[in-house]
Amino acid sequence: MRGMMKRTVATVMAVLIACAAAGCSSTGNSSSGSSSAGETTTTTAPVVEDMGNIDLSDVTTEYDVPEDFSYESEAEKGTLSGGAAVLDKNFLGKFSGDGFVSIGSSGDMVEFEIDFPAKGSYNITLTMAADGEGQSNLITVDGAALTNFTSTTTEFGDTMAENVLIDEGTHKVGIKGDNGHIYIDKIKINPAPAIDLSQYEVSNQLSNPNASDEAKRLYNFLTDVYGKYTISGQFSGDNEGKDCREFKEIKKHTGKTPAILGLDVSNLSNSALSHGAGGGDMVPLQAMDWYNNENGIVSLCWHWYAPEKNLEKNGGAWWQGFYSEYTDFDLAKALSGEDKEGYDSIIADLDHMAGVLKELADANVPILWRPLHEAAGDPKYPGNAWFWWGSAGKDAYIQLWKLMYDKFTNEYGLNNLIWVWNAQNPDWYPGDEYVDIMGYDCYPAERDSSSQKWYYDLVKSSTSTKKIIAMTENGSMFDPDGAFNDGTRWAWFSTWNGEFCIKDKQLSDQYTTFDEWNKIYNSERVLTLDELPNLKCYPMDTEKYLEEHK
C-alpha cells in the first residue's frame, strides 16, 4: 500500500514540477514537429531570469554616536546579583580600585547603569581574568543577552566584546556568567568603528563544477543575501514536512512561514529500514513539494544509523544507533580494511542514499545537503564526539566525508547538492574543494538571544577562504538586530523541532520568548517564505543580470 501511494504521489508531483518549471519560462512548454512515426517532441522555453523585489543594499553599522563618548567604572562599583562577589586577593595579577568581581556560575552578574547619548554600536572592554582561556560569557542590556565574549587570559588583561548595539537612553549593561569562572576588574565602553562588510563577499562558484542550474540559482541567491539577511528555517517534526505542528504554530503566532524546511533522511538508512522505520519515503516528496509548489528552500540532514550488526550496544535501542554510546562500530577500522563487512555496509548505505537523493536530482530540486553533522562534538570539551562518524577521530571523519562527496558527485552525478559542513571543529575541515557552506549547531541556554559570535568566529577560522556561515541547527533563537550589528550575520537559522519550538502542540516560549518569536519573524533582516524571490528564475550570475537589465 505504501509503495502504491508513493507512486501515486510521485505522479502528481511530476505534473506539479512541470507546471512550476513553466512558471519561469517566457512561453511555457511548447510542442513542435513530429517524427516519421508520428511522435511529438516537447521543447521547454528557456528560463527568464528575475530577481524579484529583493533589496541587496549593504547593511552598515554606522551611527551618530559622539566620537568622544567614553564610560569607565571599577567592577566593584556595579550592582551584583546571583553569586557574584567582590574579592581583593592578589592571585590574578595587579588589579585597580578596591577589588574585583568574581562571577563563578551561570546567572551570576554585575550590572552598571549607564546613560548612552545615542543609539549605536559600542565596544565594551573588560579588564578581566578567567580560570581558563576560551571561556564564553555574556553581555546583557536591560537583562537581555546581546552577545558573548571569550576570555583570553588567566591573569588580568583586556578582553573586548565588539559592536554591541545599544539604544539611546539609560540602560543597565551587565556581565553575566555562562561558561566558566571569570573575574572582572574594570569595564570601559567606547563607540565602535563600522564592521568590514567585505567579509560577506563570497564567491558564487559551487565546489561541484557540474552543479545543476537549480543549485547554481539557489547558491547565487544565498551568496547575494549573505550579510544582508538571515533566512528563517525550521525543522519539521514527525516526518510531516510543511504540515508539521511547528510550521502551523509559527504561522499562527507570527503571521509568517519559515523559508527553509529542514528534513531528516534518518529513516531511509538501511539499518532503519530493516527495523521497519516508517515515514522516510515521504521525505523526498515533501522536499519536492516545498521547492516546486511553495518556492521554499530544502535542507536535509542525516542521522545515520550504524550498520545493523553494530546496533543495540550498551543497552541502547536500535533507533539510538547513530550515537557513539550505543554502537561499537569503528569507522577507522572499516575505512582501513580491518573491518571489511563494516566498510561494505557503509558503501551499501551510501549507494542506497544516493538513490534517494537521485529522485530529487531528477526532479531538479536543489538541496542544502548537511551530512555527518556535529562530528567533533562540542569544541569546548574535546574528545566528546557523540555520533559514530566522529568517534574515530578527525582523520576517519574527513576520509568518510571525501568518500561520500566523491561517490555522490562523481559516481552518481548528484549535481543538485549544495554541501554544508558542520563538524564543529576547524581541525576537522575537509577542504574548500569539498565544502560550499560552513555551519554550526547552536544550543545556548534557555532564552539566550545573544548572537553566538564565538561559534561564528570559530567556524570562520576553518579556512582563509570566505564562505557562507549558517546556524545549521539551533535551540534558543538569536536577536537579529544585535547579531547584524556585531558582525555575526548567520546566513540562516534552522530551529530544531519539538521542545525548541512547540510544547503541548503549541508554540513555546521556553527557549525563545513570544516577543522574540514575533520580532525575529517580522524583522526586516530576516527573510520568510513570502519574501523569497522565485528561486527557479533567480539569476545564476547577478552581476551579468544587472548589467543586462540596467
Side-chain angles (χ1 to χ4, degrees):
M1 177 65 78
R2 181 187 298 164
M4 182 180 296
M5 182 177 72
K6 183 177 178 182
R7 286 193 296 273
T8 302
V9 176
T11 301
V12 174
M13 289 294 180
V15 174
L16 294 173
I17 289 165
C19 293
C24 269
S25 61
S26 55
T27 58
N29 292 345
S30 60
S31 298
S32 60
S34 60
S35 67
S36 57
E39 295 177 344
T40 301
T41 60
T42 300
T43 302
T44 300
V47 169
V48 177
E49 293 188 336
D50 183 7
M51 293 182 67
N53 297 319
I54 194 77
D55 180 2
L56 297 180
S57 302
D58 286 335
V59 182
T60 68
T61 58
E62 297 176 354
Y63 300 94
D64 295 324
V65 178
E67 293 183 6
D68 60 352
F69 170 78
S70 181
Y71 172 86
E72 187 170 344
S73 175
E74 295 292 336
E76 65 271 20
K77 296 186 181 298
T79 301
L80 278 56
S81 59
V86 175
L87 303 179
D88 60 1
K89 306 298 182 183
N90 191 14
F91 61 94
L92 298 165
K94 187 176 181 180
F95 59 86
S96 60
D98 299 323
F100 53 91
V101 173
S102 170
I103 295 176
S105 301
S106 176
D108 293 355
M109 185 160 61
V110 56
E111 287 184 301
F112 306 86
E113 190 169 284
I114 306 168
D115 185 34
F116 290 89
K119 178 180 179 178
S121 184
Y122 296 87
N123 285 344
I124 301 177
T125 302
L126 303 174
T127 302
M128 61 168 290
D131 282 348
E133 293 184 14
Q135 295 175 346
S136 179
N137 291 278
L138 300 168
I139 296 292
T140 65
V141 175
D142 298 328
L146 288 194
T147 192
N148 33 28
F149 63 93
T150 304
S151 60
T152 57
T153 176
T154 55
E155 293 191 349
F156 284 125
D158 287 346
T159 295
M160 184 182 293
E162 298 179 280
N163 298 94
V164 181
L165 182 62
I166 304 176
D167 283 329
E168 179 182 357
T170 301
H171 299 282
K172 291 182 178 180
V173 175
I175 302 156
K176 186 176 183 180
D178 183 40
N179 182 295
H181 203 137
I182 58 173
Y183 310 90
I184 311 298
D185 180 34
K186 186 188 300 183
I187 180 173
K188 186 175 182 179
I189 302 178
N190 296 100
I195 62 172
D196 178 11
L197 299 181
S198 68
Q199 63 185 296
Y200 310 112
E201 297 171 0
V202 297
S203 168
N204 68 351
Q205 299 302 304
L206 287 159
S207 59
N208 177 8
N210 299 313
S212 68
D213 284 357
E214 292 76 19
K216 289 178 180 177
R217 295 186 191 285
L218 173 56
Y219 190 63
N220 188 50
F221 168 70
L222 295 175
T223 60
D224 277 354
V225 301
Y226 182 50
K228 302 175 177 69
Y229 299 96
T230 290
I231 304 171
S232 59
Q234 175 66 50
F235 275 90
S236 156
D238 302 321
N239 288 313
E240 293 181 341
K242 70 180 183 184
D243 295 320
C244 67
R245 197 72 224 163
E246 289 86 349
F247 272 58
K248 292 177 180 178
E249 286 298 303
I250 291 171
K251 174 68 172 179
K252 181 169 72 175
H253 285 271
T254 71
K256 296 286 190 173
T257 299
I260 298 175
L261 170 63
L263 298 166
D264 193 335
V265 294
S266 61
N267 281 1
L268 291 170
S269 300
N270 283 327
S271 292
L273 294 172
S274 70
H275 283 272
D281 55 356
M282 292 301 296
V283 170
L285 302 178
Q286 291 159 352
M288 294 179 201
D289 177 42
W290 187 245
Y291 175 73
N292 285 301
N293 302 320
E294 304 295 338
N295 190 45
I297 300 169
V298 179
S299 172
L300 293 184
C301 70
W302 184 8
H303 283 86
W304 184 355
Y305 295 104
E308 173 66 25
K309 70 167 187 158
N310 302 104
L311 298 180
E312 300 179 296
K313 307 300 179 181
N314 299 321
W318 73 263
W319 46 267
Q320 295 174 302
F322 45 79
Y323 287 118
S324 304
E325 181 181 358
Y326 300 119
T327 175
D328 60 1
F329 182 63
D330 189 322
L331 177 61
K333 289 182 178 180
L335 293 175
S336 70
E338 186 176 344
D339 177 11
K340 186 178 184 306
E341 184 180 354
Y343 178 79
D344 291 343
S345 294
I346 290 295
I347 295 300
D349 252 355
L350 290 174
D351 289 339
H352 173 72
M353 191 55 65
V356 171
L357 297 173
K358 186 69 162 59
E359 296 179 43
L360 296 169
D362 291 344
N364 301 317
V365 178
I367 298 295
L368 299 174
W369 174 239
R370 188 175 63 96
L372 309 180
H373 64 293
E374 300 176 18
D378 189 333
K380 294 180 180 178
Y381 305 97
N384 68 334
W386 44 76
F387 295 138
W388 64 257
W389 49 85
S391 59
K394 69 174 183 178
D395 292 339
Y397 160 81
I398 290 174
Q399 188 178 347
L400 179 61
W401 180 281
K402 292 179 178 179
L403 173 65
M404 181 190 294
Y405 186 97
D406 181 60
K407 284 184 72 70
F408 284 9
T409 302
N410 300 319
E411 181 178 341
Y412 285 99
L414 299 177
N415 297 326
N416 62 321
L417 302 183
I418 296 173
W419 289 77
V420 183
W421 170 85
N422 78 298
Q424 314 277 81
N425 188 319
D427 292 338
W428 294 48
Y429 188 64
D432 291 341
E433 65 270 38
Y434 303 99
V435 172
D436 298 311
I437 294 171
M438 307 189 298
Y440 197 91
D441 294 354
C442 293
Y443 288 88
E446 295 177 8
R447 299 190 172 193
D448 177 356
S449 59
S450 62
S451 64
Q452 305 305 312
K453 181 176 175 59
W454 189 87
Y455 296 106
Y456 183 93
D457 291 343
L458 178 75
V459 175
K460 187 177 178 180
S461 71
S462 300
T463 174
S464 60
T465 303
K466 288 186 285 190
K467 285 186 176 289
I468 292 173
I469 301 173
M471 186 178 282
T472 39
E473 285 181 28
N474 62 277
S476 303
M477 299 164 72
F478 61 88
D479 184 283
D481 291 342
F484 264 74
N485 191 74
D486 72 17
T488 312
R489 300 186 177 184
W490 300 100
W492 70 80
F493 63 80
S494 204
T495 309
W496 195 249
N497 56 37
E499 66 174 319
F500 299 104
C501 180
I502 57 173
K503 184 177 183 180
D504 298 328
K505 298 187 180 299
Q506 300 178 67
L507 190 71
S508 172
D509 65 347
Q510 179 178 351
Y511 290 89
T512 302
T513 67
F514 292 133
D515 285 345
E516 278 293 331
W517 276 106
N518 275 299
K519 177 179 181 180
I520 292 165
Y521 268 90
N522 289 282
S523 168
E524 65 177 354
R525 298 272 62 88
V526 175
L527 292 178
T528 50
L529 182 65
D530 60 301
E531 295 168 317
L532 296 182
N534 190 331
L535 299 173
K536 302 169 195 67
C537 306
Y538 199 82
M540 285 188 275
D541 185 331
T542 302
E543 186 176 344
K544 178 181 177 183
Y545 173 86
L546 293 175
E547 180 65 27
E548 294 174 350
H549 293 77
K550 287 183 176 179

